Amino acid sequence: MGRSAAFFDLDKTVIAKSSALAFGRPFYRDGLITRRDVVKSAYAQLMFRLGGTDEQTMARTRDYLATLCKGWQVEQVRQIVAETLHELINPYVYAEAAALIEEHQAAGRDVVLVSASGEEMVRPIGVLLGVTDVIATRMGVVDGRYSGEVEFYAAGPRKVDAVGELATERGYDLADSYAYSDSYSDRPLLECVGHPSVVNPDRQLRRLAVENSWPVLEFRHPIPLGRRLRERPGVPVAAAALGVGVGVAIGIAWYGRHRRTRTAPAPA
């Protein structure tokens, strides 16, 4: 029997917000994106989270990401993330997720963050959590700037490809490994391990979890790292399913509006 690992999705699983959108304000402040880009990025992510498992949706999201980032200086992005990480991400780390990560590490398992966000964002968040292994989207770089090409898009089945490669390299036994996610788009990731759990799941994922008797975890306590270390709160890691949350309900409302307007002619 090989070693085991624990694979964690990032957004709404480990942190209580979107890691990519969290940096929208400093990116806008430094002139990397416009107000229109902020709105389009938020809407694109919402649509991906609601139905992002089909290849067409993932391809559109990937291509939009590549176009948006083309020409950005990589070092500028890294500096923005480093300067704002403790303000924009640290207060939103779920205490339950941090405790669960520590439990896996104490049991001798490697912990891996698996996220569709860019590696320049995900890796520093991993350092914040004491996690050194990440699987994240990698952008092409030419002369220190993003080229407009996506070398690897860490979404849907692509996450599983990367997990499989890492398992082969490290000797992980995936049947004895764990995975955590909040989104139905991560169904392939959850199904590739022997111990999947869903965290604050969307409606489709909650239904899938019930059908497969997967544990449903409700994380509700985002707490800054410094306070977490001082207080060591005894928050429950697992809880019974509580029904569709407010965030999911809002997302469904947005989706309904999107469905009603999809057939309307595009503005000239």
Side-chain angles (χ1 to χ4, degrees):
M1 182 178 294
R3 302 160 56 197
S4 63
F7 301 93
F8 285 79
D9 175 47
L10 181 60
D11 299 348
K12 309 298 179 63
T13 301
V14 173
I15 61 175
K17 59 176 8 182
S18 159
S19 52
L21 296 183
F23 294 103
R25 182 158 48 98
F27 285 171
Y28 170 73
R29 180 197 63 206
D30 284 24
L32 294 179
I33 59 176
T34 65
R35 289 183 183 273
R36 186 167 181 264
D37 291 329
V38 174
V39 174
K40 287 180 64 178
S41 297
Y43 187 72
Q45 184 172 61
L46 176 63
M47 290 300 101
F48 175 80
R49 294 186 68 81
L50 289 173
T53 52
D54 66 275
E55 289 289 333
Q56 188 176 20
T57 301
M58 285 193 291
R60 284 199 304 266
T61 306
R62 178 201 62 211
D63 294 344
Y64 172 74
L65 176 68
T67 302
L68 178 67
C69 299
K70 185 176 182 180
W72 291 6
Q73 292 183 347
V74 178
E75 189 56 35
Q76 182 182 11
V77 172
R78 288 174 177 162
Q79 287 180 357
I80 291 173
V81 172
E83 291 169 359
T84 59
L85 183 68
H86 285 274
E87 172 193 355
L88 300 177
I89 299 297
N90 184 28
Y92 297 95
V93 174
Y94 283 122
E96 298 95 331
L100 190 55
I101 287 172
E102 290 176 359
E103 286 181 18
H104 281 297
Q105 291 172 330
R109 298 186 190 94
D110 289 347
V111 173
V112 185
L113 291 184
V114 188
S115 174
S117 293
E119 188 172 29
E120 288 78 10
M121 302 176 198
V122 179
R123 193 165 293 282
I125 295 173
V127 172
L128 182 70
L129 295 164
V131 175
T132 57
D133 293 315
V134 304
I135 293 171
T137 294
R138 298 190 303 272
M139 309 295 292
V141 177
V142 176
D143 296 329
R145 294 179 180 269
Y146 294 120
S147 65
E149 301 292 329
V150 179
E151 292 184 351
F152 173 70
Y153 186 43
R158 310 293 184 271
K159 286 186 176 182
V160 177
D161 294 341
V163 165
E165 291 174 6
L166 188 62
T168 299
E169 176 188 328
R170 301 273 183 87
Y172 296 147
D173 178 4
L174 291 181
D176 194 35
S177 293
Y178 298 73
Y180 303 87
S181 179
D182 72 301
S183 175
Y184 186 79
S185 64
D186 277 334
R187 176 176 182 171
L189 173 66
L190 294 165
E191 291 181 334
C192 84
V193 299
H195 304 284
S197 295
V198 304
V199 177
N200 302 341
D202 59 34
R203 184 174 61 173
Q204 283 182 291
L205 184 57
R206 189 179 293 274
R207 183 184 304 120
L208 182 68
V210 171
E211 291 172 355
N212 289 277
S213 299
W214 293 347
V216 177
L217 313 182
E218 302 288 348
F219 291 176
R220 297 290 185 241
H221 303 89
I223 298 176
L225 178 61
R227 179 180 164 193
R228 192 163 60 242
L229 290 176
R230 289 194 307 270
E231 299 179 2
R232 305 296 297 175
V235 255
V237 168
L242 300 177
V244 177
V246 174
V248 175
I250 292 173
I252 293 169
W254 271 82
Y255 184 64
R257 180 189 299 180
H258 173 71
R259 294 283 295 178
R260 290 194 297 272
T261 58
R262 280 179 67 180
T263 56

